[in-house]
Amino acid sequence: MVPDPAAQAARELRWLLLSPPLLDTAPGVHSAPVQQFSAAERGRISVWLDDIDRAPQALFEAVQAGSASDTAPRPPSLRLGRRAERLMAFFLRHGPTHHLVAANIPLRHMTPQGDRTTLGEIDFLLHDADGQAWHWELAVKFFLCSATGPHAIAADFIGPDRAETFDSKLRKMFDRQLRHRPPPPWDQQTWAPAACTRGRLFYRHGRAVPRTAGVHPDHLQGHWIERDRVAELPAASEPVWHLVPRNDWMCPRPPITSDGLTLLAIADRLGSEPTALATMVLRGDEIDAQPLFVVSPA
């Protein structure tokens, strides 16, 4: 049995809005501001989210719009990034502090041959309660820290699929995405850019967490461990561990009623799948357990 999908959407929205940013929000640390709600905004948002918790169906329908089918036994999951965008769009449309102007604006270029090529898109144009115009780029990311010393840099953080690094994502966001200019009819207004970052950074089990310049001091954390070392963890041989699908990484939660697996069995399964690089797991017998990544050798 899985958690109620509407309630899960409400949990994810709360996480997206009220969890700490990944990046340091101090002025001047990054080349563009890092979005963070003020204390007053957080208070109003929290009250609004309480109402969503009591009646989450409208949120669920907005997030799932266009992804369900009449014959599906349960709505399919959107990929994590698109799901996060729809959650944020719902807040900007209906929330108490900001007003959405436009979302997912495609940026196109006309070639000399008369063809239109897509260069990317702008995530959100919006106004805050003071009327300030903002251009937000949303990034929900999960990276594993490979540094072994007391300090780390962004290039030391690698995605679980090893296709992206924290450093490459930062360069893409600040050097390209946040420098995009909106097309007509939004080009007549000045939009202040801001990086809207959420996620979690995972640190090697058994080592001290290194200091990393540019990372928010209160960012969410987890741990990772090599597949052949999982026996070192408490309860590794107990069937209390649950695999977390990628689409549920924002708010991982074990099934309400389901037998778990041993961590040793999960490690064996990972080793038998040549293309599997890492998998997120969660202990189902602990309240507020931190997620863990089990990682195959490089």
Side-chain angles (χ1 to χ4, degrees), residues 122-212:
I122 288 175
D123 285 350
F124 302 105
L125 298 179
L126 60 132
H127 294 145
D128 63 21
D130 296 326
Q132 171 67 51
W134 291 99
H135 162 203
W136 284 1
E137 288 295 322
L138 176 63
V140 177
K141 292 295 179 178
F142 303 83
F143 290 105
L144 283 59
C145 182
S146 63
T148 57
H151 299 278
I153 59 175
D156 292 322
F157 291 83
I158 303 168
D161 59 3
R162 302 176 194 171
E164 183 180 46
T165 67
F166 201 8
D167 180 56
S168 66
K169 178 57 189 176
L170 293 180
R171 285 186 277 107
K172 178 181 177 181
M173 174 170 279
F174 288 103
D175 296 346
R176 192 173 77 195
Q177 292 173 309
L178 287 171
R179 295 188 179 185
H180 284 319
R181 299 296 178 89
W186 304 283
D187 58 336
Q188 299 303 307
Q189 188 169 5
T190 299
W191 304 88
C196 187
T197 60
R198 301 292 189 272
R200 192 181 295 264
L201 301 181
F202 291 77
Y203 297 92
R204 189 188 301 262
H205 169 70
R207 292 184 183 269
V209 174
R211 295 189 58 186
T212 308

Coordinates of all heavy atoms in Angstrom, one line a residue, residues 122-212:
I122 N 12.3 29.6 -19.9 CA 12.3 30.3 -18.6 C 11.3 29.7 -17.7 O 10.1 29.5 -18.1 CB 12.0 31.8 -18.8 CG1 13.1 32.5 -19.5 CG2 11.6 32.5 -17.5 CD1 12.9 34.0 -19.9
D123 N 11.7 29.3 -16.5 CA 10.8 28.6 -15.6 C 9.6 29.4 -15.1 O 8.5 29.1 -15.3 CB 11.6 28.1 -14.4 CG 12.5 26.9 -14.7 OD1 12.3 26.3 -15.8 OD2 13.3 26.5 -13.8
F124 N 9.9 30.6 -14.4 CA 8.8 31.4 -13.9 C 9.1 32.8 -14.0 O 10.2 33.3 -13.6 CB 8.6 31.0 -12.4 CG 8.3 29.6 -12.1 CD1 9.3 28.7 -11.6 CD2 7.1 29.0 -12.4 CE1 9.0 27.4 -11.4 CE2 6.8 27.7 -12.2 CZ 7.8 26.9 -11.7
L125 N 8.1 33.6 -14.4 CA 8.1 35.1 -14.2 C 7.0 35.3 -13.2 O 5.9 34.8 -13.3 CB 7.8 35.8 -15.5 CG 8.9 35.6 -16.6 CD1 8.4 36.3 -17.9 CD2 10.3 36.0 -16.2
L126 N 7.3 36.2 -12.2 CA 6.3 36.4 -11.1 C 6.6 37.7 -10.4 O 7.6 38.4 -10.6 CB 6.5 35.3 -10.1 CG 7.9 35.2 -9.4 CD1 7.7 35.1 -7.9 CD2 8.6 34.0 -9.9
H127 N 5.6 38.1 -9.7 CA 5.7 39.3 -8.8 C 5.5 38.9 -7.4 O 4.7 38.0 -7.0 CB 4.6 40.4 -9.2 CG 4.7 40.9 -10.5 ND1 3.6 41.3 -11.3 CD2 5.8 41.3 -11.3 CE1 4.0 41.8 -12.4 NE2 5.3 41.8 -12.5
D128 N 6.3 39.6 -6.5 CA 6.1 39.4 -5.1 C 5.1 40.4 -4.5 O 4.5 41.2 -5.3 CB 7.4 39.4 -4.3 CG 8.1 40.8 -4.3 OD1 7.4 41.8 -4.6 OD2 9.3 40.8 -4.1
A129 N 4.8 40.3 -3.2 CA 3.8 41.2 -2.7 C 4.1 42.6 -2.8 O 3.2 43.5 -2.7 CB 3.5 40.8 -1.2
D130 N 5.3 43.0 -2.9 CA 5.7 44.4 -3.1 C 5.7 44.8 -4.5 O 6.1 46.0 -4.8 CB 7.1 44.6 -2.5 CG 7.2 44.4 -1.0 OD1 6.1 44.7 -0.3 OD2 8.2 43.9 -0.5
G131 N 5.4 44.0 -5.4 CA 5.4 44.3 -6.9 C 6.7 44.1 -7.6 O 6.8 44.4 -8.8
Q132 N 7.7 43.6 -6.9 CA 9.0 43.3 -7.5 C 8.8 42.2 -8.5 O 8.2 41.1 -8.3 CB 10.0 42.9 -6.5 CG 11.3 42.4 -7.0 CD 12.1 43.4 -7.8 OE1 12.4 44.5 -7.3 NE2 12.5 43.2 -9.0
A133 N 9.4 42.4 -9.7 CA 9.3 41.4 -10.8 C 10.5 40.5 -10.7 O 11.6 40.9 -10.7 CB 9.2 42.1 -12.2
W134 N 10.2 39.2 -10.7 CA 11.3 38.2 -10.6 C 11.3 37.2 -11.7 O 10.2 36.8 -12.2 CB 11.1 37.4 -9.3 CG 11.4 38.2 -8.0 CD1 10.4 38.8 -7.2 CD2 12.7 38.4 -7.5 NE1 11.1 39.4 -6.2 CE2 12.4 39.2 -6.3 CE3 14.0 38.1 -7.8 CZ2 13.5 39.6 -5.5 CZ3 15.0 38.6 -7.0 CH2 14.7 39.3 -5.8
H135 N 12.4 36.7 -12.1 CA 12.6 35.5 -12.9 C 13.3 34.5 -12.1 O 14.4 34.6 -11.7 CB 13.5 35.9 -14.1 CG 14.1 34.8 -14.9 ND1 15.3 34.9 -15.6 CD2 13.7 33.4 -14.9 CE1 15.6 33.7 -16.1 NE2 14.7 32.8 -15.7
W136 N 12.5 33.4 -11.8 CA 13.0 32.3 -11.0 C 13.4 31.1 -11.9 O 12.6 30.8 -12.8 CB 12.0 31.8 -10.0 CG 11.8 32.7 -8.8 CD1 12.4 33.8 -8.5 CD2 10.9 32.4 -7.7 NE1 12.0 34.3 -7.3 CE2 11.1 33.5 -6.8 CE3 10.0 31.4 -7.4 CZ2 10.3 33.5 -5.6 CZ3 9.3 31.4 -6.3 CH2 9.4 32.5 -5.3
E137 N 14.5 30.5 -11.7 CA 14.9 29.2 -12.2 C 14.9 28.2 -11.1 O 15.6 28.4 -10.1 CB 16.2 29.3 -12.9 CG 16.2 30.0 -14.3 CD 15.3 29.4 -15.3 OE1 15.3 28.1 -15.4 OE2 14.6 30.1 -16.1
L138 N 14.1 27.2 -11.2 CA 14.0 26.2 -10.2 C 14.9 25.0 -10.4 O 14.9 24.4 -11.5 CB 12.5 25.7 -10.1 CG 12.2 24.6 -9.1 CD1 12.4 25.0 -7.7 CD2 10.7 24.1 -9.3
A139 N 15.6 24.6 -9.4 CA 16.5 23.4 -9.5 C 16.3 22.6 -8.2 O 16.5 23.1 -7.1 CB 17.9 23.8 -9.7
V140 N 15.8 21.3 -8.4 CA 15.7 20.4 -7.3 C 16.7 19.3 -7.5 O 16.5 18.5 -8.4 CB 14.3 19.8 -7.2 CG1 14.2 18.8 -6.0 CG2 13.3 21.0 -6.9
K141 N 17.8 19.3 -6.7 CA 18.9 18.4 -7.0 C 19.4 17.6 -5.8 O 19.2 18.0 -4.7 CB 20.1 19.3 -7.5 CG 19.8 19.9 -8.9 CD 19.7 18.9 -10.0 CE 19.4 19.5 -11.3 NZ 19.3 18.4 -12.4
F142 N 20.0 16.5 -6.1 CA 20.6 15.6 -5.1 C 22.0 15.2 -5.6 O 22.1 14.6 -6.7 CB 19.7 14.3 -5.0 CG 18.2 14.7 -4.6 CD1 17.3 15.1 -5.6 CD2 17.8 14.7 -3.3 CE1 16.0 15.4 -5.3 CE2 16.5 15.1 -3.0 CZ 15.6 15.4 -4.0
F143 N 23.0 15.5 -4.8 CA 24.3 15.2 -5.1 C 25.1 14.5 -4.0 O 24.8 14.7 -2.8 CB 25.1 16.5 -5.5 CG 24.6 17.2 -6.7 CD1 23.8 18.3 -6.7 CD2 25.0 16.7 -8.0 CE1 23.4 18.9 -7.9 CE2 24.6 17.3 -9.1 CZ 23.8 18.4 -9.1
L144 N 26.0 13.7 -4.4 CA 26.8 12.9 -3.4 C 28.2 13.5 -3.4 O 28.9 13.7 -4.4 CB 26.9 11.4 -3.9 CG 25.7 10.5 -3.6 CD1 24.5 11.0 -4.3 CD2 26.1 9.1 -4.1
C145 N 28.7 13.8 -2.2 CA 30.0 14.4 -2.0 C 31.1 13.4 -2.0 O 31.1 12.4 -1.2 CB 30.1 15.2 -0.7 SG 31.6 16.1 -0.5
S146 N 32.1 13.6 -2.9 CA 33.2 12.6 -3.0 C 34.5 13.1 -2.3 O 35.5 12.4 -2.3 CB 33.6 12.4 -4.5 OG 34.0 13.6 -5.1
A147 N 34.5 14.3 -1.8 CA 35.6 14.9 -1.1 C 36.0 14.0 0.1 O 35.1 13.5 0.8 CB 35.4 16.3 -0.7
T148 N 37.3 13.9 0.4 CA 37.8 13.1 1.6 C 38.4 14.0 2.6 O 38.7 13.5 3.7 CB 38.8 12.1 1.1 OG1 39.9 12.8 0.4 CG2 38.2 11.1 0.1
G149 N 38.6 15.3 2.4 CA 39.2 16.2 3.4 C 38.2 17.1 4.1 O 37.0 16.9 3.9
P150 N 38.7 18.1 4.8 CA 37.8 18.9 5.6 C 37.1 20.0 4.7 O 36.2 20.6 5.2 CB 38.7 19.6 6.6 CG 40.1 19.6 5.9 CD 40.1 18.4 5.1
H151 N 37.5 20.1 3.5 CA 36.9 21.1 2.6 C 36.5 20.4 1.3 O 37.1 19.5 0.8 CB 37.8 22.3 2.3 CG 38.2 23.0 3.5 ND1 37.5 24.0 4.1 CD2 39.3 22.9 4.3 CE1 38.1 24.5 5.1 NE2 39.2 23.8 5.3
A152 N 35.4 21.0 0.7 CA 34.9 20.5 -0.6 C 34.6 21.6 -1.5 O 34.4 22.8 -1.1 CB 33.7 19.6 -0.4
I153 N 34.6 21.4 -2.8 CA 34.2 22.3 -3.8 C 33.0 21.7 -4.6 O 32.8 20.5 -4.5 CB 35.4 22.7 -4.8 CG1 35.9 21.5 -5.5 CG2 36.5 23.4 -4.0 CD1 36.9 21.8 -6.6
A154 N 32.4 22.6 -5.4 CA 31.2 22.1 -6.1 C 31.5 20.9 -7.0 O 30.6 20.0 -7.1 CB 30.5 23.3 -6.9
A155 N 32.6 20.9 -7.6 CA 33.0 19.8 -8.5 C 33.1 18.5 -7.8 O 33.1 17.4 -8.4 CB 34.3 20.1 -9.2
D156 N 33.2 18.5 -6.4 CA 33.3 17.2 -5.7 C 31.9 16.5 -5.5 O 31.9 15.4 -5.1 CB 33.9 17.5 -4.3 CG 35.3 17.9 -4.3 OD1 36.1 17.3 -5.2 OD2 35.7 18.8 -3.5
F157 N 30.9 17.2 -5.9 CA 29.5 16.7 -5.7 C 29.0 16.1 -7.0 O 28.9 16.8 -8.0 CB 28.6 17.8 -5.2 CG 28.9 18.2 -3.8 CD1 29.8 19.2 -3.5 CD2 28.2 17.7 -2.7 CE1 30.1 19.6 -2.2 CE2 28.4 18.1 -1.4 CZ 29.4 19.0 -1.2
I158 N 28.7 14.8 -7.0 CA 28.3 14.1 -8.2 C 26.9 13.6 -8.1 O 26.5 13.1 -7.1 CB 29.3 12.9 -8.5 CG1 30.7 13.5 -8.5 CG2 29.0 12.2 -9.7 CD1 31.8 12.4 -8.4
G159 N 26.1 13.7 -9.2 CA 24.8 13.1 -9.2 C 24.8 11.6 -9.1 O 25.8 11.0 -9.5
P160 N 23.7 11.0 -8.5 CA 23.7 9.6 -8.4 C 23.9 8.8 -9.7 O 24.3 7.7 -9.6 CB 22.3 9.4 -7.8 CG 22.0 10.7 -7.1 CD 22.6 11.7 -7.9
D161 N 23.5 9.4 -10.8 CA 23.7 8.7 -12.1 C 25.0 9.1 -12.7 O 25.3 8.7 -13.8 CB 22.5 9.1 -13.0 CG 22.4 10.6 -13.3 OD1 23.2 11.4 -12.8 OD2 21.4 10.9 -14.0
R162 N 25.8 10.0 -12.0 CA 27.1 10.4 -12.5 C 27.1 11.1 -13.8 O 28.2 11.3 -14.4 CB 28.1 9.2 -12.5 CG 28.2 8.5 -11.1 CD 29.1 7.3 -11.1 NE 28.8 6.5 -9.9 CZ 29.3 5.3 -9.7 NH1 30.0 4.7 -10.6 NH2 29.0 4.7 -8.5
A163 N 25.9 11.6 -14.2 CA 25.9 12.4 -15.4 C 26.0 13.9 -15.2 O 26.2 14.6 -16.2 CB 24.5 12.1 -16.1
E164 N 25.9 14.3 -14.0 CA 26.0 15.8 -13.7 C 26.7 16.0 -12.4 O 26.7 15.1 -11.5 CB 24.5 16.3 -13.6 CG 24.4 17.8 -13.4 CD 23.0 18.2 -13.2 OE1 22.2 17.6 -12.5 OE2 22.6 19.3 -13.9
T165 N 27.4 17.1 -12.3 CA 28.0 17.5 -11.1 C 27.4 18.8 -10.6 O 26.7 19.5 -11.3 CB 29.5 17.8 -11.3 OG1 29.7 18.9 -12.1 CG2 30.2 16.5 -11.8
F166 N 27.5 19.1 -9.3 CA 27.0 20.3 -8.7 C 27.6 21.5 -9.5 O 26.9 22.5 -9.7 CB 27.4 20.3 -7.2 CG 26.5 21.2 -6.4 CD1 25.4 21.9 -6.9 CD2 26.9 21.4 -5.1 CE1 24.6 22.7 -6.1 CE2 26.1 22.3 -4.3 CZ 25.0 22.9 -4.8
D167 N 28.9 21.4 -9.8 CA 29.6 22.5 -10.4 C 29.0 22.8 -11.8 O 28.7 23.9 -12.2 CB 31.1 22.1 -10.6 CG 31.8 23.2 -11.3 OD1 31.8 24.4 -10.8 OD2 32.5 22.9 -12.3
S168 N 28.7 21.7 -12.6 CA 28.1 21.9 -13.9 C 26.7 22.5 -13.8 O 26.3 23.3 -14.7 CB 28.1 20.6 -14.7 OG 27.2 19.7 -14.2
K169 N 26.0 22.1 -12.8 CA 24.6 22.6 -12.7 C 24.7 24.1 -12.3 O 23.9 24.9 -12.8 CB 23.9 21.9 -11.6 CG 22.4 22.4 -11.3 CD 21.6 22.4 -12.6 CE 20.3 23.2 -12.5 NZ 19.6 23.3 -13.7
L170 N 25.6 24.5 -11.4 CA 25.7 25.9 -11.0 C 26.1 26.8 -12.2 O 25.5 27.9 -12.4 CB 26.7 26.1 -9.9 CG 26.4 25.4 -8.5 CD1 27.5 25.7 -7.5 CD2 25.0 26.0 -8.0
R171 N 27.0 26.3 -13.0 CA 27.4 27.1 -14.2 C 26.3 27.2 -15.2 O 26.1 28.3 -15.8 CB 28.6 26.4 -14.9 CG 29.9 26.7 -14.1 CD 31.2 26.2 -14.8 NE 31.4 24.7 -14.6 CZ 31.2 23.8 -15.5 NH1 30.7 24.1 -16.7 NH2 31.4 22.5 -15.3
K172 N 25.5 26.1 -15.4 CA 24.4 26.2 -16.3 C 23.3 27.2 -15.8 O 22.8 28.0 -16.5 CB 23.7 24.8 -16.4 CG 22.5 24.8 -17.3 CD 21.9 23.3 -17.3 CE 20.7 23.3 -18.2 NZ 20.1 21.9 -18.2
M173 N 23.1 27.2 -14.4 CA 22.0 28.0 -13.9 C 22.4 29.5 -13.9 O 21.7 30.4 -14.4 CB 21.7 27.6 -12.5 CG 20.7 28.5 -11.8 SD 20.1 27.9 -10.2 CE 18.8 26.8 -10.8
F174 N 23.6 29.8 -13.4 CA 24.0 31.2 -13.3 C 24.6 31.8 -14.5 O 24.5 33.0 -14.8 CB 25.0 31.3 -12.1 CG 24.4 31.2 -10.7 CD1 24.6 30.0 -10.0 CD2 23.7 32.2 -10.2 CE1 24.0 29.8 -8.8 CE2 23.1 32.0 -8.9 CZ 23.3 30.8 -8.2
D175 N 25.3 31.0 -15.3 CA 25.9 31.5 -16.5 C 25.0 31.5 -17.8 O 25.3 32.2 -18.7 CB 27.2 30.8 -16.9 CG 28.2 30.9 -15.8 OD1 28.1 31.8 -14.9 OD2 29.2 30.1 -15.8
R176 N 23.9 30.7 -17.7 CA 23.1 30.6 -18.9 C 21.6 30.9 -18.5 O 21.0 31.8 -19.0 CB 23.2 29.3 -19.5 CG 22.6 29.2 -20.9 CD 22.9 27.9 -21.6 NE 22.1 26.8 -21.1 CZ 22.4 25.5 -21.3 NH1 23.5 25.2 -22.0 NH2 21.6 24.6 -20.9
Q177 N 21.0 30.0 -17.7 CA 19.5 30.1 -17.5 C 19.1 31.4 -16.9 O 18.1 32.0 -17.4 CB 19.1 28.9 -16.6 CG 19.2 27.6 -17.2 CD 19.0 26.4 -16.2 OE1 19.5 26.4 -15.1 NE2 18.1 25.5 -16.6
L178 N 19.8 31.9 -15.9 CA 19.4 33.2 -15.3 C 19.7 34.4 -16.1 O 19.3 35.5 -15.7 CB 20.0 33.3 -13.9 CG 19.3 32.3 -12.8 CD1 20.1 32.3 -11.5 CD2 17.9 32.7 -12.6
R179 N 20.5 34.2 -17.2 CA 20.8 35.3 -18.1 C 19.9 35.4 -19.3 O 20.0 36.4 -20.1 CB 22.2 35.2 -18.5 CG 23.2 35.3 -17.4 CD 24.7 35.4 -17.9 NE 25.6 35.6 -16.8 CZ 26.9 35.7 -16.9 NH1 27.4 35.8 -18.2 NH2 27.7 35.9 -15.9
H180 N 18.9 34.5 -19.4 CA 18.0 34.6 -20.5 C 17.1 35.8 -20.3 O 16.7 36.1 -19.2 CB 17.1 33.3 -20.5 CG 17.8 32.1 -21.0 ND1 18.6 32.1 -22.1 CD2 17.7 30.8 -20.6 CE1 19.1 30.9 -22.4 NE2 18.6 30.1 -21.5
R181 N 16.8 36.4 -21.4 CA 15.8 37.6 -21.4 C 14.5 37.1 -21.9 O 14.4 36.4 -23.0 CB 16.3 38.7 -22.3 CG 17.7 39.3 -21.9 CD 17.6 39.9 -20.5 NE 18.8 40.4 -20.0 CZ 19.3 41.7 -20.3 NH1 18.5 42.5 -21.0 NH2 20.4 42.0 -19.8
P182 N 13.4 37.4 -21.3 CA 12.1 36.9 -21.7 C 11.7 37.5 -23.1 O 12.1 38.6 -23.4 CB 11.1 37.5 -20.6 CG 12.0 37.7 -19.4 CD 13.3 38.1 -20.0
P183 N 11.0 36.7 -23.9 CA 10.6 37.1 -25.2 C 9.3 38.0 -25.0 O 8.8 38.1 -24.0 CB 10.2 35.8 -25.9 CG 9.8 34.9 -24.8 CD 10.6 35.3 -23.6
P184 N 8.9 38.6 -26.1 CA 7.6 39.4 -26.1 C 6.5 38.4 -25.7 O 6.5 37.3 -26.0 CB 7.5 39.9 -27.5 CG 8.8 39.9 -28.1 CD 9.5 38.7 -27.4
P185 N 5.5 39.0 -24.9 CA 5.3 40.3 -24.5 C 5.9 40.7 -23.2 O 5.6 41.8 -22.6 CB 3.8 40.4 -24.4 CG 3.4 39.0 -23.9 CD 4.4 38.1 -24.5
W186 N 6.8 39.9 -22.6 CA 7.3 40.1 -21.3 C 8.6 40.9 -21.3 O 9.2 41.2 -20.3 CB 7.5 38.8 -20.6 CG 6.3 37.9 -20.5 CD1 5.2 38.1 -19.7 CD2 5.9 36.8 -21.3 NE1 4.2 37.2 -19.9 CE2 4.6 36.4 -20.9 CE3 6.6 36.1 -22.3 CZ2 4.0 35.3 -21.5 CZ3 6.0 35.0 -22.9 CH2 4.7 34.6 -22.5
D187 N 9.1 41.2 -22.5 CA 10.4 41.8 -22.6 C 10.4 43.3 -22.3 O 11.5 44.0 -22.2 CB 11.0 41.6 -24.0 CG 10.1 42.2 -25.1 OD1 8.9 42.3 -24.9 OD2 10.6 42.5 -26.2
Q188 N 9.2 43.9 -22.0 CA 9.2 45.3 -21.7 C 9.4 45.6 -20.3 O 9.4 46.8 -19.8 CB 7.8 45.9 -22.2 CG 7.5 45.7 -23.6 CD 8.6 46.4 -24.5 OE1 8.9 47.6 -24.3 NE2 9.2 45.7 -25.4
Q189 N 9.5 44.6 -19.4 CA 9.7 44.7 -18.0 C 11.0 44.1 -17.6 O 11.5 43.2 -18.2 CB 8.6 44.0 -17.2 CG 8.6 44.3 -15.7 CD 7.3 43.8 -15.1 OE1 6.4 43.2 -15.7 NE2 7.1 44.1 -13.8
T190 N 11.6 44.7 -16.6 CA 12.9 44.2 -16.0 C 12.6 43.2 -15.0 O 11.9 43.4 -14.0 CB 13.7 45.3 -15.4 OG1 14.1 46.3 -16.4 CG2 15.0 44.8 -14.9
W191 N 13.1 42.0 -15.1 CA 12.9 40.9 -14.2 C 14.2 40.5 -13.5 O 15.2 40.2 -14.1 CB 12.4 39.6 -15.0 CG 11.2 39.9 -15.8 CD1 11.2 40.4 -17.1 CD2 9.8 39.8 -15.4 NE1 9.9 40.5 -17.5 CE2 9.0 40.1 -16.5 CE3 9.2 39.3 -14.3 CZ2 7.6 40.1 -16.5 CZ3 7.8 39.3 -14.2 CH2 7.1 39.7 -15.3
A192 N 14.2 40.6 -12.2 CA 15.3 40.3 -11.4 C 15.5 38.8 -11.3 O 14.6 38.1 -11.0 CB 15.2 40.9 -10.0
P193 N 16.7 38.3 -11.6 CA 16.9 36.8 -11.6 C 17.1 36.3 -10.2 O 17.7 37.0 -9.4 CB 18.2 36.6 -12.5 CG 18.9 37.9 -12.3 CD 17.9 39.0 -12.1
A194 N 16.7 35.1 -10.0 CA 17.0 34.4 -8.7 C 17.0 32.9 -8.9 O 16.1 32.4 -9.6 CB 15.9 34.8 -7.6
A195 N 17.9 32.3 -8.2 CA 18.0 30.8 -8.3 C 17.2 30.2 -7.2 O 17.4 30.5 -6.0 CB 19.5 30.4 -8.1
C196 N 16.2 29.4 -7.5 CA 15.4 28.8 -6.5 C 15.8 27.3 -6.4 O 15.5 26.5 -7.3 CB 13.9 28.8 -7.0 SG 12.7 28.2 -5.8
T197 N 16.6 27.0 -5.4 CA 17.3 25.7 -5.2 C 16.8 25.0 -4.0 O 16.7 25.5 -2.9 CB 18.8 25.9 -5.1 OG1 19.1 26.7 -3.9 CG2 19.3 26.6 -6.3
R198 N 16.4 23.7 -4.2 CA 16.1 22.8 -3.1 C 16.7 21.5 -3.4 O 17.1 21.2 -4.5 CB 14.5 22.6 -3.1 CG 13.7 23.9 -2.8 CD 14.0 24.5 -1.5 NE 13.0 25.6 -1.2 CZ 13.2 26.8 -1.5 NH1 14.3 27.2 -2.2 NH2 12.3 27.8 -1.3
G199 N 16.8 20.6 -2.4 CA 17.4 19.3 -2.6 C 18.1 18.9 -1.4 O 17.8 19.3 -0.2
R200 N 19.1 18.0 -1.6 CA 19.8 17.4 -0.4 C 21.2 17.0 -0.9 O 21.4 16.5 -2.0 CB 19.0 16.2 0.1 CG 19.5 15.6 1.4 CD 18.7 14.4 1.8 NE 17.3 14.7 2.1 CZ 16.8 14.9 3.3 NH1 17.6 14.9 4.3 NH2 15.5 15.1 3.4
L201 N 22.2 17.2 -0.1 CA 23.5 16.8 -0.3 C 23.9 15.6 0.6 O 23.6 15.6 1.8 CB 24.5 17.9 -0.1 CG 24.3 19.2 -1.0 CD1 25.3 20.3 -0.7 CD2 24.2 18.9 -2.5
F202 N 24.5 14.6 0.0 CA 24.8 13.4 0.7 C 26.3 13.2 0.9 O 27.1 13.5 0.0 CB 24.3 12.2 -0.1 CG 22.8 12.1 -0.2 CD1 22.1 12.9 -1.1 CD2 22.1 11.2 0.6 CE1 20.7 12.8 -1.1 CE2 20.7 11.1 0.5 CZ 20.0 11.9 -0.3
Y203 N 26.7 12.9 2.1 CA 28.1 12.8 2.5 C 28.5 11.4 2.9 O 27.7 10.6 3.4 CB 28.3 13.7 3.7 CG 28.1 15.2 3.3 CD1 26.8 15.8 3.5 CD2 29.0 16.0 2.7 CE1 26.5 17.1 3.2 CE2 28.8 17.3 2.3 CZ 27.5 17.8 2.6 OH 27.3 19.1 2.2
R204 N 29.7 11.1 2.6 CA 30.2 9.7 2.8 C 30.1 9.2 4.2 O 30.4 9.9 5.2 CB 31.7 9.6 2.4 CG 32.3 8.2 2.3 CD 33.8 8.3 2.1 NE 34.1 9.0 0.9 CZ 34.4 8.5 -0.3 NH1 34.4 7.1 -0.4 NH2 34.8 9.2 -1.3
H205 N 29.5 8.1 4.4 CA 29.3 7.5 5.7 C 30.6 7.3 6.4 O 31.6 6.9 5.9 CB 28.6 6.1 5.6 CG 28.6 5.3 6.9 ND1 27.8 5.7 8.0 CD2 29.3 4.2 7.3 CE1 28.0 4.8 9.0 NE2 28.9 3.9 8.6
G206 N 30.6 7.7 7.7 CA 31.8 7.5 8.5 C 32.8 8.6 8.4 O 33.9 8.6 9.1
R207 N 32.6 9.7 7.7 CA 33.5 10.8 7.6 C 32.8 12.1 8.0 O 31.6 12.2 7.9 CB 34.0 11.0 6.1 CG 34.9 9.9 5.6 CD 35.4 10.2 4.3 NE 36.2 9.1 3.7 CZ 37.6 9.0 3.9 NH1 38.2 10.0 4.5 NH2 38.2 8.0 3.3
A208 N 33.6 13.0 8.5 CA 33.1 14.3 8.9 C 32.6 15.1 7.6 O 33.1 14.9 6.5 CB 34.1 15.2 9.6
V209 N 31.5 15.9 7.8 CA 31.0 16.6 6.7 C 31.9 17.8 6.4 O 32.2 18.6 7.2 CB 29.6 17.2 7.0 CG1 29.1 18.1 5.9 CG2 28.6 16.0 7.2
P210 N 32.5 17.9 5.2 CA 33.4 19.0 4.8 C 32.7 20.3 4.7 O 31.4 20.3 4.4 CB 34.0 18.5 3.5 CG 32.9 17.7 2.9 CD 32.2 17.0 4.0
R211 N 33.4 21.4 4.8 CA 32.8 22.7 4.5 C 32.9 23.0 3.0 O 33.9 22.7 2.4 CB 33.6 23.8 5.3 CG 33.5 23.6 6.8 CD 34.1 24.8 7.5 NE 33.5 26.1 7.1 CZ 33.9 27.3 7.4 NH1 35.0 27.4 8.2 NH2 33.3 28.4 7.0
T212 N 31.8 23.6 2.5 CA 31.8 23.9 1.1 C 31.3 25.3 0.9 O 30.2 25.6 1.3 CB 30.8 22.9 0.4 OG1 31.1 21.6 0.7 CG2 30.9 23.1 -1.1

